[in-house]
Amino acid sequence: MRLSRGILFACIACISGVVAASGDSLVERAAPSPISVSPAQNWDGYDGPWSSFTIRVGTPAQDVRVFISTAGYETWVVLPQGCPSGDSSCPEERGDLFNNATSSTWKAQGYYHLILEENLGIDGVGYFGNDTVGLGIQGSGGPTLENQVVGGIATENYYLGVLGVNPKPINFTSLDEGQPSYISSLKEQSLIPSVSFGYTAGAQYRLKQVDGSLTLGGYDASRFTPNNLSFAFAPDNSRDVVVGIQSLIATDQDGKTHNLLTSGIDAYIDSTVSQIWLPLSACEAFEEAFGLVWDTSSELYLVNDTLHSALLAQNASFSFTLGNTVSGGETIDIVLPYASFDLQATYPLVANSTRYFPLKRAVNETQYTLGRTFLQEAYLIVDWERSNFSVSQCLFEEDMQEKLEAIQAPGNSSTSGSGAGNSTSTIVSKSSVSTGAIAGIVVGIVIVVILAVAGLGAFFILRRRKRRNAEAKLKSEEEADRLRTGFGKAELDTDSNHQRYEIDGNDPNSNGKPPPGGWVDEKARFPGAGSRTALSEMKGSDANISELAVGAAGASELSQDQARHEMYDPSATPVELPADLPPELPGSEPSTPGLTSSLTSSPVFRSANQSPVNRSAGPSPLNPASSPLLLPHSNSANRVPLANTRRGSAASPRSQPSDLSTPPNRSLTSTPRTTDALSPISPLPGEDHRQGGIFSGGIFGALRNVERDQQQEGSRSASRSRGVSQGKRRET
């Protein structure tokens, strides 16, 4: 029962754990919510301003601001070497610095080239290592990942660090297996539902400065107008998020249009850089339409105050028609106002702060790029696991409330793509398992555990009951055996304080039980004996008191010359009486003539090598094993065997009286036996053996008087020589 209670408590604890873990495992782990990375609410950059995001790097954590890189797969931060000594404004302008020397978890990997934008001619060298990286400022509760790849930069080609959201693994050598990117690590640790993101760069010129938005594992549905177009990844792994720009049309405030792209091109969407990189022909079209001038020194289209005023007055809008190919098929339009091109360049990009138009001359088609300028008005959703993405027009409204939607990984019960309302995608909620389903699962688990506990309890109860029944049955069988074999109680001693009476023997079945095996019916062998009543021993102080036969108390003992025989029993083998038991008291000879003649007419001697009748029978309530001697009487059929107890033994129920002589040797052989080979009636060797003692093989033992034995010793020496083997006679 104690074990079953323990199992019950364990099962209850198991149920509690299952119930507590069900919500987490079914909702958060199987379908975790997307993560919204809060912007730093700063506008940074020397070619901006651009909305930046805060991350934590190192141990203890150091807060730094970075830009989002849709093409990058590493985390870059600016090292102290990136600012001149004594320039107090530089660290803040570069988004604060990370000092790897003070981080206890920094593990250096070495110096490596910055190859992210090398096709655009932007390069540099970084000091790489592994360290802890978390999202958001300290105390914001954003996720923290250990052993992430971090590159420390000092070059001014990247003025702020970047947080890459591309899942490509990072290899420092050609031999290693690669280390996962930050977004892949989030997915591997079940912190986001899929390897996907939604991003827009933000627009300082919209409303009251609309910050950028980054959602990992999903998107923010409140930030764009959905469409039905889904884009497939390009085959070039280094330039996969590619759209076909089928047309680029500028429309002035007065409705005049300008075709700025003579033919369609494929362009790579990359938020790492700020500008829009177009073919030279497209750049010349811009120059003609808006009076732009290329500055060969800075390689920028600088805008002076006069041009700036003209552009403001013209207030043109620029419509990009996008499709999966450079021509034909389903398309969408992403429209940018002139304000999105009205940017400020500062040192070190230019010597003096000035306005510029974010358009760059591409050398070849590998440089066709849509940078952060484009993403001010476009919302990009990329599903890396399904190799598709979507581009939507940003939505700017007062008091916009964040509305996060998860993109589930492939293989989940609810699937989704990258688009927001497009034909190949399905928007799914944060949790794919309903509350009712969770409750049903929990209830089912509880029922199964309860049934298991009930089964175990019934098993242990039945087993214990069976064991108790078996013990009770065994106990009852032992009690029955004890009742059948009798009680081994010792007979009281024959002194003046204890008189013993035998049980009435008129009816051998008087106790209601059948006689034991080997039972001898004395009445059948001795006619007329049934008229006698019970015999009793008499108390006396003399050892030689004769027994009395009831009804003939005055009967004399047998004559001296009359042969002495034990009772005749045709079914029993002869046996001698034990010589080490205390002798019976001498008794009178029965006066019944028929009985006397029967005793003397058929003498039978029992051999020491033969067993007495019923000697092996066990004790019973009518035949106590502890009774060493029962006086015979004719009405009893009970034959109580003599106890095989050695004289002087501590186990003997009564000791040998000191005034009685030892019983004579009744053995048929003259050779004395050793102590170990003594028969139940053989005397101990080397002792004096007198004729006095117990000769009770039948109902009446042949009783001897010690004085008469001494007087007739000479005349009977020949007859007694068979029973006496050695030793001197001992006087009484």
Side-chain angles (χ1 to χ4, degrees):
M1 186 62 69
R2 187 173 301 171
L3 179 60
S4 61
R5 288 199 191 103
I7 295 176
L8 177 61
F9 292 147
C11 291
I12 292 174
C14 180
I15 294 172
S16 302
V18 168
V19 172
S22 295
D24 294 338
S25 61
L26 295 176
V27 178
E28 296 182 8
R29 295 190 178 182
S33 300
I35 296 174
S36 176
V37 183
S38 300
Q41 298 183 348
N42 282 52
W43 298 91
D44 296 302
Y46 59 24
D47 55 1
W50 307 109
S51 178
S52 59
F53 294 80
T54 302
I55 62 173
R56 309 182 303 274
V57 184
T59 306
Q62 303 175 45
D63 292 346
V64 295
R65 298 190 306 276
V66 296
F67 294 138
I68 301 303
S69 172
T70 59
Y73 37 84
E74 300 164 343
T75 300
W76 293 355
V77 292
V78 180
L79 297 177
Q81 292 85 342
C83 289
S85 177
D87 189 346
S88 58
S89 61
C90 177
E92 171 62 23
E93 291 174 356
R94 302 200 66 172
D96 291 324
L97 308 177
F98 168 68
N99 188 352
N100 63 285
T102 62
S103 175
S104 62
T105 51
W106 172 265
K107 299 176 183 178
Q109 296 287 351
Y111 293 90
Y112 293 88
H113 285 283
L114 306 176
I115 62 174
L116 181 60
E117 304 293 347
E118 62 181 358
N119 68 309
L120 299 177
I122 304 172
D123 57 8
V125 175
Y127 181 51
F128 283 82
N130 293 86
D131 213 331
T132 301
V133 179
L135 300 178
I137 62 175
Q138 298 181 46
S140 64
T144 300
L145 303 181
E146 299 178 350
N147 200 38
Q148 297 300 302
V149 176
V150 177
I153 63 174
T155 179
E156 294 179 347
N157 290 339
Y158 300 96
Y159 204 56
L160 264 70
V162 297
L163 174 65
V165 292
N166 193 300
K168 294 183 182 71
I170 302 102
N171 293 73
F172 289 105
T173 68
S174 60
L175 299 178
D176 61 32
E177 297 179 354
Q179 301 182 38
S181 65
Y182 194 84
I183 191 172
S184 297
S185 298
L186 290 173
K187 175 60 169 59
E188 289 176 1
Q189 299 185 27
S190 299
L191 297 175
I192 55 176
S194 63
V195 184
S196 60
F197 72 87
Y199 171 71
T200 183
Q204 188 184 37
Y205 55 86
R206 289 285 189 177
L207 303 175
K208 299 176 181 178
Q209 300 183 346
V210 178
D211 290 323
S213 172
L214 175 64
T215 303
L216 301 178
Y219 53 88
D220 185 357
S222 67
R223 299 297 298 265
F224 62 91
T225 301
N227 61 74
N228 295 323
L229 180 58
S230 177
F231 295 86
F233 278 5
D236 186 355
N237 187 46
S238 62
R239 293 172 61 86
D240 41 16
V241 185
V242 174
V243 295
I245 305 177
Q246 296 186 4
S247 67
L248 176 54
I249 304 296
T251 304
D252 294 342
Q253 187 174 0
D254 56 7
K256 184 180 179 179
T257 62
H258 305 273
N259 186 6
L260 304 175
L261 189 63
T262 58
S263 62
I265 61 172
D266 287 326
Y268 181 49
I269 300 177
D270 182 5
S271 65
T272 311
V273 295
S274 302
Q275 299 83 11
I276 295 175
W277 295 63
L278 295 177
L280 180 58
S281 59
C283 293
E284 291 175 346
F286 268 92
E287 294 173 4
E288 182 180 354
F290 300 105
L292 302 178
V293 178
W294 177 253
D295 182 49
T296 58
S297 175
S298 62
E299 296 185 343
L300 295 173
Y301 285 103
L302 300 178
V303 178
N304 57 29
D305 293 341
T306 304
L307 182 58
H308 181 252
S309 297
L311 292 174
L312 288 177
Q314 197 174 6
N315 195 20
S317 60
F318 304 85
S319 178
F320 291 78
T321 301
L322 307 179
N324 271 294
T325 60
V326 295
S327 63
E330 188 176 3
T331 62
I332 59 167
D333 292 333
I334 303 298
V335 179
L336 279 67
Y338 168 72
S340 61
F341 290 89
D342 189 6
L343 298 178
Q344 187 85 15
T346 60
Y347 179 85
L349 187 59
V350 294
N352 298 303
S353 296
T354 183
R355 293 182 179 91
Y356 83 103
F357 195 92
L359 180 64
K360 295 283 284 185
R361 292 180 175 181
V363 176
N364 53 52
E365 61 183 9
T366 64
Q367 292 184 339
Y368 300 161
T369 304
L370 298 174
R372 282 194 299 269
T373 297
F374 176 78
L375 290 172
Q376 291 177 111
E377 296 290 330
Y379 193 92
L380 175 65
I381 301 174
V382 179
D383 186 348
W384 298 107
E385 294 177 277
R386 292 182 176 85
S387 300
N388 60 20
F389 64 96
S390 66
V391 181
S392 303
Q393 184 74 52
C394 280
L395 185 63
F396 299 98
E397 295 179 349
E398 294 285 352
D399 301 325
M400 289 185 299
Q401 299 297 321
E402 189 176 68
K403 185 180 180 181
L404 300 183
E405 300 289 349
I407 298 176
Q408 297 301 325
N412 284 8
S413 57
S414 296
T415 60
S416 69
S418 63
N422 56 58
S423 59
T424 62
S425 306
T426 301
I427 298 176
V428 296
S429 62
K430 302 177 188 177
S431 172
S432 63
V433 182
S434 65
T435 304
I438 295 172
I441 293 172
V442 172
V443 170
I445 294 173
V446 170
I447 292 175
V448 170
V449 174
I450 290 175
L451 292 176
V453 172
L456 288 174
F459 170 75
F460 286 112
I461 291 174
L462 292 176
R463 189 176 71 171
R464 187 172 183 181
R465 183 177 298 172
K466 184 177 180 181
R467 185 172 62 249
R468 286 181 175 176
N469 292 340
E471 292 175 354
K473 182 178 180 181
L474 180 60
K475 186 175 180 181
S476 63
E477 291 177 354
E478 292 177 351
E479 181 67 18
D481 290 342
R482 189 173 65 84
L483 293 174
R484 285 195 302 268
T485 57
F487 299 90
K489 297 181 180 179
E491 190 176 358
L492 298 176
D493 199 4
T494 56
D495 55 17
S496 59
N497 296 324
H498 301 86
Q499 295 186 11
R500 293 170 299 283
Y501 302 93
E502 292 192 359
I503 300 173
D504 189 2
N506 292 330
D507 184 5
N509 296 324
S510 59
N511 61 343
K513 294 184 178 180
W519 191 276
V520 179
D521 190 354
E522 296 292 339
K523 294 188 292 184
R525 293 191 290 114
F526 298 98
S531 61
R532 287 196 287 269
T533 58
L535 304 179
S536 62
E537 291 185 350
M538 296 184 62
K539 174 184 175 184
S541 59
D542 190 356
N544 294 321
I545 297 176
S546 303
E547 292 186 3
L548 297 178
V550 178
S556 61
E557 294 184 354
L558 297 174
S559 61
Q560 296 180 0
D561 56 350
Q562 189 175 2
R564 296 173 298 280
H565 304 284
E566 295 183 357
M567 184 187 68
Y568 173 71
D569 185 358
S571 64
T573 57
V575 65
E576 290 183 331
L577 297 177
D580 52 355
L581 293 175
E584 290 186 358
L585 298 177
S588 62
E589 202 173 39
S591 60
T592 306
L595 180 60
T596 304
S597 62
S598 65
L599 288 174
T600 58
S601 61
S602 301
V604 176
F605 294 92
R606 297 187 185 274
S607 172
N609 295 326
Q610 295 174 329
S611 301
V613 177
N614 202 25
R615 182 175 293 276
S616 61
S620 70
L622 298 178
N623 185 19
S626 61
S627 302
L629 179 63
L630 293 177
L631 294 180
H633 72 85
S634 60
N635 292 333
S636 176
N638 293 328
R639 300 292 296 165
V640 182
L642 296 176
N644 183 14
T645 307
R646 293 197 179 185
R647 188 171 48 191
S649 172
S652 176
R654 64 178 183 179
S655 61
Q656 178 83 2
S658 59
D659 57 346
L660 297 178
S661 62
T662 60
N665 186 357
R666 300 290 291 175
S667 175
L668 298 178
T669 62
S670 59
T671 304
R673 296 174 177 83
T674 62
T675 304
D676 296 335
L678 290 178
S679 69
I681 58 174
S682 298
L684 294 174
E687 294 187 357
D688 186 14
H689 308 289
R690 289 182 177 265
Q691 290 286 346
I694 304 171
F695 303 136
S696 54
I699 296 178
F700 298 101
L703 305 177
R704 302 281 184 183
N705 186 280
V706 176
E707 288 81 357
R708 187 175 59 205
D709 289 344
Q710 291 176 351
Q711 293 173 4
Q712 298 178 0
E713 186 67 25
S715 61
R716 297 199 306 269
S717 59
S719 62
R720 292 201 320 270
S721 61
R722 291 174 301 177
V724 179
S725 60
Q726 61 179 346
K728 295 187 298 180
R729 299 184 182 278
R730 188 168 50 188
E731 296 295 329
T732 301

